[in-house]
Amino acid sequence: MTIPPEYHGLWRRDGIWRSDGSSDTTTQVLWFQSARWHIDSRGFAGSTVVEGARCEWHPEIAFPALGPGIDAGTMRFDGADKVEETGIDGSYRELWVRIDAGPVRAQRLQRDGGALAWLITGAEWMAWAHGHPGAMAQFSIARDETAALPPEAGSGWHVSATDG
């Protein structure tokens, strides 16, 4: 299942405001989104599902491990490059600004033994995430596609799916 094109690209979080009154407008958070998969710089990667205004992120790897709840929000676009995400439980509101709309390409890779990886690229950036479900994950972000992948990226990995 692919998600609508208005989600694709590289997004930067402008801030988060929580229902407990706390907020954060200084921590840099990046969200890389392809037609099927996401990488979030907070430490998780996996598939994305959009149904109407509801967006769900289904991490397959995360470090630190995420809680058992569903990661989902209601999305309200304000033009092509701004979106407000409100947690389905009402516990937070995040503002996101798109830095690059694409084109975006992505691959999901698997390795014998259960390791998973995602490579999402844009015209001048790339994000790479890999790890084992339920174990430590590693993330790498670069501003151009010539950046080197981790040394183990070429040994034993095979492409399981592509999009974009």
PDB file of all heavy atoms in Angstrom, residues 107-146:
ATOM      1  N   GLN A 107      14.444   1.726  -0.548  1.00  0.00           N
ATOM      2  CA  GLN A 107      14.605   0.284  -0.607  1.00  0.00           C
ATOM      3  C   GLN A 107      14.527  -0.265   0.808  1.00  0.00           C
ATOM      4  O   GLN A 107      15.005   0.358   1.753  1.00  0.00           O
ATOM      5  CB  GLN A 107      15.945  -0.117  -1.214  1.00  0.00           C
ATOM      6  CG  GLN A 107      16.071   0.227  -2.672  1.00  0.00           C
ATOM      7  CD  GLN A 107      17.370  -0.294  -3.259  1.00  0.00           C
ATOM      8  OE1 GLN A 107      18.384  -0.358  -2.593  1.00  0.00           O
ATOM      9  NE2 GLN A 107      17.311  -0.685  -4.517  1.00  0.00           N
ATOM     10  N   ARG A 108      13.926  -1.415   0.914  1.00  0.00           N
ATOM     11  CA  ARG A 108      13.921  -2.167   2.176  1.00  0.00           C
ATOM     12  C   ARG A 108      14.796  -3.378   1.935  1.00  0.00           C
ATOM     13  O   ARG A 108      14.629  -4.082   0.935  1.00  0.00           O
ATOM     14  CB  ARG A 108      12.518  -2.594   2.546  1.00  0.00           C
ATOM     15  CG  ARG A 108      12.440  -3.334   3.883  1.00  0.00           C
ATOM     16  CD  ARG A 108      10.985  -3.738   4.152  1.00  0.00           C
ATOM     17  NE  ARG A 108      10.801  -4.358   5.420  1.00  0.00           N
ATOM     18  CZ  ARG A 108      10.975  -5.661   5.660  1.00  0.00           C
ATOM     19  NH1 ARG A 108      11.367  -6.468   4.682  1.00  0.00           N
ATOM     20  NH2 ARG A 108      10.768  -6.156   6.860  1.00  0.00           N
ATOM     21  N   LEU A 109      15.736  -3.603   2.825  1.00  0.00           N
ATOM     22  CA  LEU A 109      16.661  -4.711   2.678  1.00  0.00           C
ATOM     23  C   LEU A 109      16.518  -5.667   3.848  1.00  0.00           C
ATOM     24  O   LEU A 109      16.107  -5.274   4.936  1.00  0.00           O
ATOM     25  CB  LEU A 109      18.108  -4.190   2.610  1.00  0.00           C
ATOM     26  CG  LEU A 109      18.378  -3.220   1.460  1.00  0.00           C
ATOM     27  CD1 LEU A 109      18.382  -1.801   1.964  1.00  0.00           C
ATOM     28  CD2 LEU A 109      19.684  -3.557   0.790  1.00  0.00           C
ATOM     29  N   GLN A 110      16.861  -6.917   3.593  1.00  0.00           N
ATOM     30  CA  GLN A 110      16.857  -7.929   4.643  1.00  0.00           C
ATOM     31  C   GLN A 110      18.189  -8.659   4.607  1.00  0.00           C
ATOM     32  O   GLN A 110      18.840  -8.741   3.568  1.00  0.00           O
ATOM     33  CB  GLN A 110      15.742  -8.940   4.410  1.00  0.00           C
ATOM     34  CG  GLN A 110      14.384  -8.414   4.720  1.00  0.00           C
ATOM     35  CD  GLN A 110      13.338  -9.487   4.554  1.00  0.00           C
ATOM     36  OE1 GLN A 110      12.545  -9.389   3.646  1.00  0.00           O
ATOM     37  NE2 GLN A 110      13.343 -10.494   5.409  1.00  0.00           N
ATOM     38  N   ARG A 111      18.538  -9.206   5.734  1.00  0.00           N
ATOM     39  CA  ARG A 111      19.759  -9.986   5.847  1.00  0.00           C
ATOM     40  C   ARG A 111      19.402 -11.289   6.544  1.00  0.00           C
ATOM     41  O   ARG A 111      18.543 -11.312   7.429  1.00  0.00           O
ATOM     42  CB  ARG A 111      20.782  -9.216   6.665  1.00  0.00           C
ATOM     43  CG  ARG A 111      22.146  -9.798   6.653  1.00  0.00           C
ATOM     44  CD  ARG A 111      23.090  -8.876   7.379  1.00  0.00           C
ATOM     45  NE  ARG A 111      24.449  -9.293   7.138  1.00  0.00           N
ATOM     46  CZ  ARG A 111      25.482  -8.716   7.670  1.00  0.00           C
ATOM     47  NH1 ARG A 111      25.326  -7.686   8.474  1.00  0.00           N
ATOM     48  NH2 ARG A 111      26.683  -9.151   7.411  1.00  0.00           N
ATOM     49  N   ASP A 112      20.036 -12.366   6.134  1.00  0.00           N
ATOM     50  CA  ASP A 112      19.808 -13.628   6.840  1.00  0.00           C
ATOM     51  C   ASP A 112      20.065 -13.394   8.324  1.00  0.00           C
ATOM     52  O   ASP A 112      20.989 -12.682   8.694  1.00  0.00           O
ATOM     53  CB  ASP A 112      20.737 -14.719   6.306  1.00  0.00           C
ATOM     54  CG  ASP A 112      20.396 -15.094   4.870  1.00  0.00           C
ATOM     55  OD1 ASP A 112      19.259 -14.832   4.445  1.00  0.00           O
ATOM     56  OD2 ASP A 112      21.268 -15.638   4.176  1.00  0.00           O
ATOM     57  N   GLY A 113      19.242 -13.947   9.155  1.00  0.00           N
ATOM     58  CA  GLY A 113      19.377 -13.750  10.592  1.00  0.00           C
ATOM     59  C   GLY A 113      18.420 -12.702  11.131  1.00  0.00           C
ATOM     60  O   GLY A 113      18.419 -12.421  12.318  1.00  0.00           O
ATOM     61  N   GLY A 114      17.613 -12.082  10.249  1.00  0.00           N
ATOM     62  CA  GLY A 114      16.565 -11.189  10.723  1.00  0.00           C
ATOM     63  C   GLY A 114      16.841  -9.705  10.697  1.00  0.00           C
ATOM     64  O   GLY A 114      15.963  -8.924  11.024  1.00  0.00           O
ATOM     65  N   ALA A 115      18.054  -9.291  10.345  1.00  0.00           N
ATOM     66  CA  ALA A 115      18.340  -7.861  10.301  1.00  0.00           C
ATOM     67  C   ALA A 115      17.533  -7.204   9.183  1.00  0.00           C
ATOM     68  O   ALA A 115      17.308  -7.797   8.130  1.00  0.00           O
ATOM     69  CB  ALA A 115      19.824  -7.611  10.085  1.00  0.00           C
ATOM     70  N   LEU A 116      17.095  -5.980   9.429  1.00  0.00           N
ATOM     71  CA  LEU A 116      16.333  -5.196   8.465  1.00  0.00           C
ATOM     72  C   LEU A 116      17.026  -3.863   8.242  1.00  0.00           C
ATOM     73  O   LEU A 116      17.701  -3.353   9.138  1.00  0.00           O
ATOM     74  CB  LEU A 116      14.914  -4.933   8.983  1.00  0.00           C
ATOM     75  CG  LEU A 116      14.046  -6.151   9.251  1.00  0.00           C
ATOM     76  CD1 LEU A 116      12.764  -5.725   9.954  1.00  0.00           C
ATOM     77  CD2 LEU A 116      13.737  -6.870   7.954  1.00  0.00           C
ATOM     78  N   ALA A 117      16.829  -3.287   7.047  1.00  0.00           N
ATOM     79  CA  ALA A 117      17.412  -1.977   6.755  1.00  0.00           C
ATOM     80  C   ALA A 117      16.541  -1.241   5.757  1.00  0.00           C
ATOM     81  O   ALA A 117      15.838  -1.855   4.950  1.00  0.00           O
ATOM     82  CB  ALA A 117      18.828  -2.133   6.193  1.00  0.00           C
ATOM     83  N   TRP A 118      16.606   0.074   5.831  1.00  0.00           N
ATOM     84  CA  TRP A 118      15.926   0.955   4.887  1.00  0.00           C
ATOM     85  C   TRP A 118      16.926   1.973   4.399  1.00  0.00           C
ATOM     86  O   TRP A 118      17.720   2.501   5.166  1.00  0.00           O
ATOM     87  CB  TRP A 118      14.762   1.698   5.553  1.00  0.00           C
ATOM     88  CG  TRP A 118      13.639   0.802   5.908  1.00  0.00           C
ATOM     89  CD1 TRP A 118      12.512   0.583   5.188  1.00  0.00           C
ATOM     90  CD2 TRP A 118      13.534  -0.030   7.056  1.00  0.00           C
ATOM     91  NE1 TRP A 118      11.714  -0.332   5.817  1.00  0.00           N
ATOM     92  CE2 TRP A 118      12.319  -0.722   6.970  1.00  0.00           C
ATOM     93  CE3 TRP A 118      14.356  -0.258   8.164  1.00  0.00           C
ATOM     94  CZ2 TRP A 118      11.897  -1.620   7.932  1.00  0.00           C
ATOM     95  CZ3 TRP A 118      13.938  -1.150   9.118  1.00  0.00           C
ATOM     96  CH2 TRP A 118      12.717  -1.824   9.010  1.00  0.00           C
ATOM     97  N   LEU A 119      16.871   2.260   3.104  1.00  0.00           N
ATOM     98  CA  LEU A 119      17.649   3.331   2.503  1.00  0.00           C
ATOM     99  C   LEU A 119      16.657   4.216   1.774  1.00  0.00           C
ATOM    100  O   LEU A 119      15.958   3.758   0.866  1.00  0.00           O
ATOM    101  CB  LEU A 119      18.693   2.774   1.518  1.00  0.00           C
ATOM    102  CG  LEU A 119      19.463   3.821   0.721  1.00  0.00           C
ATOM    103  CD1 LEU A 119      20.288   4.712   1.645  1.00  0.00           C
ATOM    104  CD2 LEU A 119      20.351   3.147  -0.319  1.00  0.00           C
ATOM    105  N   ILE A 120      16.537   5.468   2.207  1.00  0.00           N
ATOM    106  CA  ILE A 120      15.640   6.429   1.582  1.00  0.00           C
ATOM    107  C   ILE A 120      16.500   7.578   1.080  1.00  0.00           C
ATOM    108  O   ILE A 120      17.311   8.123   1.839  1.00  0.00           O
ATOM    109  CB  ILE A 120      14.565   6.932   2.563  1.00  0.00           C
ATOM    110  CG1 ILE A 120      13.741   5.747   3.108  1.00  0.00           C
ATOM    111  CG2 ILE A 120      13.654   7.959   1.887  1.00  0.00           C
ATOM    112  CD1 ILE A 120      12.693   6.154   4.143  1.00  0.00           C
ATOM    113  N   THR A 121      16.343   7.935  -0.206  1.00  0.00           N
ATOM    114  CA  THR A 121      17.166   8.990  -0.792  1.00  0.00           C
ATOM    115  C   THR A 121      16.312  10.045  -1.480  1.00  0.00           C
ATOM    116  O   THR A 121      15.249   9.757  -2.017  1.00  0.00           O
ATOM    117  CB  THR A 121      18.155   8.426  -1.833  1.00  0.00           C
ATOM    118  OG1 THR A 121      17.427   7.836  -2.901  1.00  0.00           O
ATOM    119  CG2 THR A 121      19.090   7.397  -1.211  1.00  0.00           C
ATOM    120  N   GLY A 122      16.829  11.255  -1.441  1.00  0.00           N
ATOM    121  CA  GLY A 122      16.279  12.372  -2.190  1.00  0.00           C
ATOM    122  C   GLY A 122      17.356  12.883  -3.121  1.00  0.00           C
ATOM    123  O   GLY A 122      18.390  12.229  -3.312  1.00  0.00           O
ATOM    124  N   ALA A 123      17.160  14.042  -3.713  1.00  0.00           N
ATOM    125  CA  ALA A 123      18.134  14.590  -4.664  1.00  0.00           C
ATOM    126  C   ALA A 123      19.471  14.897  -4.003  1.00  0.00           C
ATOM    127  O   ALA A 123      20.520  14.683  -4.608  1.00  0.00           O
ATOM    128  CB  ALA A 123      17.563  15.842  -5.329  1.00  0.00           C
ATOM    129  N   GLU A 124      19.460  15.383  -2.763  1.00  0.00           N
ATOM    130  CA  GLU A 124      20.704  15.795  -2.113  1.00  0.00           C
ATOM    131  C   GLU A 124      20.844  15.257  -0.696  1.00  0.00           C
ATOM    132  O   GLU A 124      21.588  15.814   0.110  1.00  0.00           O
ATOM    133  CB  GLU A 124      20.781  17.327  -2.092  1.00  0.00           C
ATOM    134  CG  GLU A 124      20.838  17.922  -3.481  1.00  0.00           C
ATOM    135  CD  GLU A 124      20.958  19.435  -3.457  1.00  0.00           C
ATOM    136  OE1 GLU A 124      21.144  20.011  -2.367  1.00  0.00           O
ATOM    137  OE2 GLU A 124      20.865  20.033  -4.532  1.00  0.00           O
ATOM    138  N   TRP A 125      20.144  14.187  -0.370  1.00  0.00           N
ATOM    139  CA  TRP A 125      20.226  13.633   0.983  1.00  0.00           C
ATOM    140  C   TRP A 125      19.932  12.137   0.943  1.00  0.00           C
ATOM    141  O   TRP A 125      19.393  11.627  -0.024  1.00  0.00           O
ATOM    142  CB  TRP A 125      19.244  14.338   1.928  1.00  0.00           C
ATOM    143  CG  TRP A 125      17.827  14.344   1.433  1.00  0.00           C
ATOM    144  CD1 TRP A 125      17.223  15.328   0.695  1.00  0.00           C
ATOM    145  CD2 TRP A 125      16.842  13.317   1.582  1.00  0.00           C
ATOM    146  NE1 TRP A 125      15.928  14.973   0.391  1.00  0.00           N
ATOM    147  CE2 TRP A 125      15.663  13.740   0.930  1.00  0.00           C
ATOM    148  CE3 TRP A 125      16.836  12.071   2.212  1.00  0.00           C
ATOM    149  CZ2 TRP A 125      14.500  12.982   0.887  1.00  0.00           C
ATOM    150  CZ3 TRP A 125      15.676  11.305   2.171  1.00  0.00           C
ATOM    151  CH2 TRP A 125      14.529  11.768   1.517  1.00  0.00           C
ATOM    152  N   MET A 126      20.296  11.474   2.017  1.00  0.00           N
ATOM    153  CA  MET A 126      19.961  10.065   2.186  1.00  0.00           C
ATOM    154  C   MET A 126      19.845   9.759   3.670  1.00  0.00           C
ATOM    155  O   MET A 126      20.455  10.427   4.500  1.00  0.00           O
ATOM    156  CB  MET A 126      21.002   9.149   1.546  1.00  0.00           C
ATOM    157  CG  MET A 126      22.359   9.173   2.211  1.00  0.00           C
ATOM    158  SD  MET A 126      23.515   8.013   1.492  1.00  0.00           S
ATOM    159  CE  MET A 126      23.106   6.552   2.409  1.00  0.00           C
ATOM    160  N   ALA A 127      19.037   8.774   3.980  1.00  0.00           N
ATOM    161  CA  ALA A 127      18.915   8.282   5.347  1.00  0.00           C
ATOM    162  C   ALA A 127      19.003   6.764   5.292  1.00  0.00           C
ATOM    163  O   ALA A 127      18.434   6.130   4.406  1.00  0.00           O
ATOM    164  CB  ALA A 127      17.585   8.721   5.958  1.00  0.00           C
ATOM    165  N   TRP A 128      19.701   6.200   6.237  1.00  0.00           N
ATOM    166  CA  TRP A 128      19.937   4.756   6.297  1.00  0.00           C
ATOM    167  C   TRP A 128      19.664   4.318   7.724  1.00  0.00           C
ATOM    168  O   TRP A 128      20.155   4.931   8.675  1.00  0.00           O
ATOM    169  CB  TRP A 128      21.385   4.480   5.912  1.00  0.00           C
ATOM    170  CG  TRP A 128      21.922   3.122   6.214  1.00  0.00           C
ATOM    171  CD1 TRP A 128      22.706   2.774   7.272  1.00  0.00           C
ATOM    172  CD2 TRP A 128      21.761   1.931   5.438  1.00  0.00           C
ATOM    173  NE1 TRP A 128      23.031   1.445   7.204  1.00  0.00           N
ATOM    174  CE2 TRP A 128      22.468   0.903   6.087  1.00  0.00           C
ATOM    175  CE3 TRP A 128      21.093   1.634   4.270  1.00  0.00           C
ATOM    176  CZ2 TRP A 128      22.515  -0.398   5.603  1.00  0.00           C
ATOM    177  CZ3 TRP A 128      21.131   0.343   3.779  1.00  0.00           C
ATOM    178  CH2 TRP A 128      21.839  -0.654   4.438  1.00  0.00           C
ATOM    179  N   ALA A 129      18.847   3.297   7.895  1.00  0.00           N
ATOM    180  CA  ALA A 129      18.562   2.748   9.219  1.00  0.00           C
ATOM    181  C   ALA A 129      18.650   1.238   9.128  1.00  0.00           C
ATOM    182  O   ALA A 129      18.196   0.645   8.156  1.00  0.00           O
ATOM    183  CB  ALA A 129      17.169   3.161   9.675  1.00  0.00           C
ATOM    184  N   HIS A 130      19.263   0.627  10.138  1.00  0.00           N
ATOM    185  CA  HIS A 130      19.314  -0.833  10.141  1.00  0.00           C
ATOM    186  C   HIS A 130      19.425  -1.366  11.554  1.00  0.00           C
ATOM    187  O   HIS A 130      19.872  -0.681  12.466  1.00  0.00           O
ATOM    188  CB  HIS A 130      20.453  -1.367   9.258  1.00  0.00           C
ATOM    189  CG  HIS A 130      21.815  -1.054   9.758  1.00  0.00           C
ATOM    190  ND1 HIS A 130      22.586  -1.963  10.437  1.00  0.00           N
ATOM    191  CD2 HIS A 130      22.554   0.060   9.673  1.00  0.00           C
ATOM    192  CE1 HIS A 130      23.753  -1.416  10.733  1.00  0.00           C
ATOM    193  NE2 HIS A 130      23.752  -0.184  10.284  1.00  0.00           N
ATOM    194  N   GLY A 131      18.966  -2.589  11.732  1.00  0.00           N
ATOM    195  CA  GLY A 131      19.024  -3.232  13.024  1.00  0.00           C
ATOM    196  C   GLY A 131      18.157  -4.474  13.042  1.00  0.00           C
ATOM    197  O   GLY A 131      17.599  -4.875  12.020  1.00  0.00           O
ATOM    198  N   HIS A 132      18.070  -5.075  14.208  1.00  0.00           N
ATOM    199  CA  HIS A 132      17.221  -6.250  14.423  1.00  0.00           C
ATOM    200  C   HIS A 132      15.974  -5.807  15.181  1.00  0.00           C
ATOM    201  O   HIS A 132      16.079  -5.010  16.110  1.00  0.00           O
ATOM    202  CB  HIS A 132      17.946  -7.306  15.258  1.00  0.00           C
ATOM    203  CG  HIS A 132      19.046  -7.996  14.551  1.00  0.00           C
ATOM    204  ND1 HIS A 132      18.858  -8.799  13.463  1.00  0.00           N
ATOM    205  CD2 HIS A 132      20.380  -8.008  14.782  1.00  0.00           C
ATOM    206  CE1 HIS A 132      20.006  -9.271  13.043  1.00  0.00           C
ATOM    207  NE2 HIS A 132      20.954  -8.805  13.828  1.00  0.00           N
ATOM    208  N   PRO A 133      14.815  -6.325  14.818  1.00  0.00           N
ATOM    209  CA  PRO A 133      13.622  -5.994  15.594  1.00  0.00           C
ATOM    210  C   PRO A 133      13.841  -6.338  17.068  1.00  0.00           C
ATOM    211  O   PRO A 133      14.338  -7.406  17.397  1.00  0.00           O
ATOM    212  CB  PRO A 133      12.539  -6.881  14.973  1.00  0.00           C
ATOM    213  CG  PRO A 133      13.009  -7.091  13.561  1.00  0.00           C
ATOM    214  CD  PRO A 133      14.512  -7.186  13.675  1.00  0.00           C
ATOM    215  N   GLY A 134      13.507  -5.405  17.943  1.00  0.00           N
ATOM    216  CA  GLY A 134      13.659  -5.621  19.375  1.00  0.00           C
ATOM    217  C   GLY A 134      15.067  -5.458  19.900  1.00  0.00           C
ATOM    218  O   GLY A 134      15.330  -5.702  21.067  1.00  0.00           O
ATOM    219  N   ALA A 135      16.011  -5.044  19.060  1.00  0.00           N
ATOM    220  CA  ALA A 135      17.397  -4.875  19.500  1.00  0.00           C
ATOM    221  C   ALA A 135      17.895  -3.500  19.052  1.00  0.00           C
ATOM    222  O   ALA A 135      17.167  -2.719  18.456  1.00  0.00           O
ATOM    223  CB  ALA A 135      18.272  -5.979  18.900  1.00  0.00           C
ATOM    224  N   MET A 136      19.154  -3.239  19.309  1.00  0.00           N
ATOM    225  CA  MET A 136      19.737  -1.947  18.964  1.00  0.00           C
ATOM    226  C   MET A 136      19.663  -1.688  17.462  1.00  0.00           C
ATOM    227  O   MET A 136      19.843  -2.581  16.645  1.00  0.00           O
ATOM    228  CB  MET A 136      21.194  -1.908  19.406  1.00  0.00           C
ATOM    229  CG  MET A 136      21.859  -0.597  19.145  1.00  0.00           C
ATOM    230  SD  MET A 136      22.998  -0.279  20.471  1.00  0.00           S
ATOM    231  CE  MET A 136      23.535   1.336  20.042  1.00  0.00           C
ATOM    232  N   ALA A 137      19.375  -0.450  17.114  1.00  0.00           N
ATOM    233  CA  ALA A 137      19.309  -0.035  15.717  1.00  0.00           C
ATOM    234  C   ALA A 137      20.320   1.090  15.490  1.00  0.00           C
ATOM    235  O   ALA A 137      20.702   1.788  16.426  1.00  0.00           O
ATOM    236  CB  ALA A 137      17.905   0.443  15.381  1.00  0.00           C
ATOM    237  N   GLN A 138      20.764   1.250  14.242  1.00  0.00           N
ATOM    238  CA  GLN A 138      21.706   2.315  13.894  1.00  0.00           C
ATOM    239  C   GLN A 138      21.107   3.149  12.778  1.00  0.00           C
ATOM    240  O   GLN A 138      20.418   2.629  11.894  1.00  0.00           O
ATOM    241  CB  GLN A 138      23.039   1.729  13.449  1.00  0.00           C
ATOM    242  CG  GLN A 138      23.741   0.978  14.552  1.00  0.00           C
ATOM    243  CD  GLN A 138      25.068   0.403  14.084  1.00  0.00           C
ATOM    244  OE1 GLN A 138      25.424   0.488  12.927  1.00  0.00           O
ATOM    245  NE2 GLN A 138      25.794  -0.186  15.005  1.00  0.00           N
ATOM    246  N   PHE A 139      21.386   4.453  12.819  1.00  0.00           N
ATOM    247  CA  PHE A 139      20.841   5.387  11.862  1.00  0.00           C
ATOM    248  C   PHE A 139      21.951   6.283  11.340  1.00  0.00           C
ATOM    249  O   PHE A 139      22.857   6.646  12.070  1.00  0.00           O
ATOM    250  CB  PHE A 139      19.749   6.241  12.515  1.00  0.00           C
ATOM    251  CG  PHE A 139      18.584   5.411  12.978  1.00  0.00           C
ATOM    252  CD1 PHE A 139      18.618   4.745  14.184  1.00  0.00           C
ATOM    253  CD2 PHE A 139      17.474   5.256  12.173  1.00  0.00           C
ATOM    254  CE1 PHE A 139      17.568   3.958  14.598  1.00  0.00           C
ATOM    255  CE2 PHE A 139      16.415   4.465  12.577  1.00  0.00           C
ATOM    256  CZ  PHE A 139      16.462   3.814  13.786  1.00  0.00           C
ATOM    257  N   SER A 140      21.861   6.645  10.075  1.00  0.00           N
ATOM    258  CA  SER A 140      22.837   7.524   9.455  1.00  0.00           C
ATOM    259  C   SER A 140      22.102   8.466   8.509  1.00  0.00           C
ATOM    260  O   SER A 140      21.203   8.051   7.781  1.00  0.00           O
ATOM    261  CB  SER A 140      23.865   6.697   8.673  1.00  0.00           C
ATOM    262  OG  SER A 140      24.780   7.538   8.026  1.00  0.00           O
ATOM    263  N   ILE A 141      22.469   9.733   8.543  1.00  0.00           N
ATOM    264  CA  ILE A 141      21.865  10.750   7.688  1.00  0.00           C
ATOM    265  C   ILE A 141      22.989  11.503   6.999  1.00  0.00           C
ATOM    266  O   ILE A 141      23.982  11.848   7.629  1.00  0.00           O
ATOM    267  CB  ILE A 141      21.018  11.727   8.527  1.00  0.00           C
ATOM    268  CG1 ILE A 141      19.895  10.968   9.247  1.00  0.00           C
ATOM    269  CG2 ILE A 141      20.464  12.850   7.670  1.00  0.00           C
ATOM    270  CD1 ILE A 141      19.231  11.756  10.341  1.00  0.00           C
ATOM    271  N   ALA A 142      22.840  11.750   5.699  1.00  0.00           N
ATOM    272  CA  ALA A 142      23.863  12.482   4.949  1.00  0.00           C
ATOM    273  C   ALA A 142      23.191  13.490   4.036  1.00  0.00           C
ATOM    274  O   ALA A 142      22.057  13.298   3.607  1.00  0.00           O
ATOM    275  CB  ALA A 142      24.719  11.518   4.138  1.00  0.00           C
ATOM    276  N   ARG A 143      23.902  14.562   3.696  1.00  0.00           N
ATOM    277  CA  ARG A 143      23.342  15.602   2.840  1.00  0.00           C
ATOM    278  C   ARG A 143      23.551  15.342   1.360  1.00  0.00           C
ATOM    279  O   ARG A 143      23.071  16.072   0.530  1.00  0.00           O
ATOM    280  CB  ARG A 143      23.945  16.970   3.186  1.00  0.00           C
ATOM    281  CG  ARG A 143      23.387  17.553   4.433  1.00  0.00           C
ATOM    282  CD  ARG A 143      21.913  17.829   4.366  1.00  0.00           C
ATOM    283  NE  ARG A 143      21.572  18.804   3.355  1.00  0.00           N
ATOM    284  CZ  ARG A 143      20.355  19.088   2.982  1.00  0.00           C
ATOM    285  NH1 ARG A 143      19.341  18.468   3.527  1.00  0.00           N
ATOM    286  NH2 ARG A 143      20.120  19.995   2.075  1.00  0.00           N
ATOM    287  N   ASP A 144      24.292  14.327   0.978  1.00  0.00           N
ATOM    288  CA  ASP A 144      24.359  13.978  -0.442  1.00  0.00           C
ATOM    289  C   ASP A 144      24.468  12.473  -0.573  1.00  0.00           C
ATOM    290  O   ASP A 144      24.811  11.781   0.364  1.00  0.00           O
ATOM    291  CB  ASP A 144      25.494  14.699  -1.166  1.00  0.00           C
ATOM    292  CG  ASP A 144      26.874  14.225  -0.769  1.00  0.00           C
ATOM    293  OD1 ASP A 144      27.093  13.013  -0.659  1.00  0.00           O
ATOM    294  OD2 ASP A 144      27.751  15.075  -0.577  1.00  0.00           O
ATOM    295  N   GLU A 145      24.132  11.975  -1.741  1.00  0.00           N
ATOM    296  CA  GLU A 145      24.044  10.531  -1.941  1.00  0.00           C
ATOM    297  C   GLU A 145      25.400   9.850  -2.078  1.00  0.00           C
ATOM    298  O   GLU A 145      25.461   8.633  -2.192  1.00  0.00           O
ATOM    299  CB  GLU A 145      23.183  10.222  -3.164  1.00  0.00           C
ATOM    300  CG  GLU A 145      21.739  10.633  -2.960  1.00  0.00           C
ATOM    301  CD  GLU A 145      20.873  10.260  -4.129  1.00  0.00           C
ATOM    302  OE1 GLU A 145      20.971   9.124  -4.600  1.00  0.00           O
ATOM    303  OE2 GLU A 145      20.095  11.114  -4.576  1.00  0.00           O
ATOM    304  N   THR A 146      26.500  10.597  -2.041  1.00  0.00           N
ATOM    305  CA  THR A 146      27.813   9.982  -2.163  1.00  0.00           C
ATOM    306  C   THR A 146      28.349   9.513  -0.819  1.00  0.00           C
ATOM    307  O   THR A 146      29.402   8.912  -0.755  1.00  0.00           O
ATOM    308  CB  THR A 146      28.817  10.967  -2.794  1.00  0.00           C
ATOM    309  OG1 THR A 146      28.961  12.107  -1.928  1.00  0.00           O
ATOM    310  CG2 THR A 146      28.351  11.415  -4.159  1.00  0.00           C
TER     311      THR A 146
END
